[in-house]
Amino acid sequence: MAAQQSQGIQTLLEAEKEAAKTVQQARQYRVQRLKDARTEATKEIEEYKKAKEAEFKDFEASHAGVIQSTQSSVDGETEVKLQEITDHYNSNKEKVVKKLLDRVVLVQPELHRNLKKFGQ
């Protein structure tokens, strides 16, 4: 009977070792699958990124003429506005300087309005 119990315990221990090996193999398999999935995801991300960059460059190339023509029209409008401002400045600078000098030089001395109220 003791030999049979010993044999049963030995069988259980072997089964436990076999189960531990199976669990360890499953863990290793899972870790390897996660690594493979990450690698595959990284590759897919890089391919997607390259595809989007190529798509953007194509879009940019197809719209380059539009951008240049728009830029040239904006530059032309800017030159016109700048010339208008310069002409306006040149035509009015003498008047502005005269008004400023008149205000600074021709001072009318009078009491401050608060002092006038206090003195009344």
Side-chain angles (χ1 to χ4, degrees), residues 9-25:
I9 291 174
Q10 190 66 28
T11 305
L12 286 174
L13 288 174
E14 288 175 13
E16 187 179 336
K17 285 181 186 179
E18 192 65 33
K21 284 182 186 178
T22 304
V23 169
Q24 183 63 27
Q25 287 175 348

Side-chain angles (χ1 to χ4, degrees), residues 77-114:
E77 289 176 15
T78 304
E79 286 297 323
V80 169
K81 295 276 186 185
L82 188 59
Q83 188 60 43
E84 287 176 8
I85 291 170
T86 304
D87 292 343
H88 189 68
Y89 164 76
N90 287 333
S91 66
N92 291 320
K93 70 179 179 182
E94 294 296 326
K95 294 176 191 173
V96 171
V97 169
K98 185 174 181 335
K99 278 186 177 180
L100 285 173
L101 285 175
D102 287 346
R103 292 287 182 173
V104 170
V105 174
L106 302 174
V107 176
Q108 299 284 334
E110 58 183 49
L111 293 175
H112 191 270
R113 63 181 177 211
N114 289 341

Side-chain angles (χ1 to χ4, degrees), residues 42-60:
T42 304
K43 286 179 185 177
E44 287 180 13
I45 289 170
E46 287 299 318
E47 290 174 7
Y48 183 75
K49 186 177 179 181
K50 287 179 184 177
K52 285 298 178 181
E53 285 178 1
E55 184 180 326
F56 175 71
K57 287 186 181 189
D58 290 343
F59 177 81
E60 195 175 45

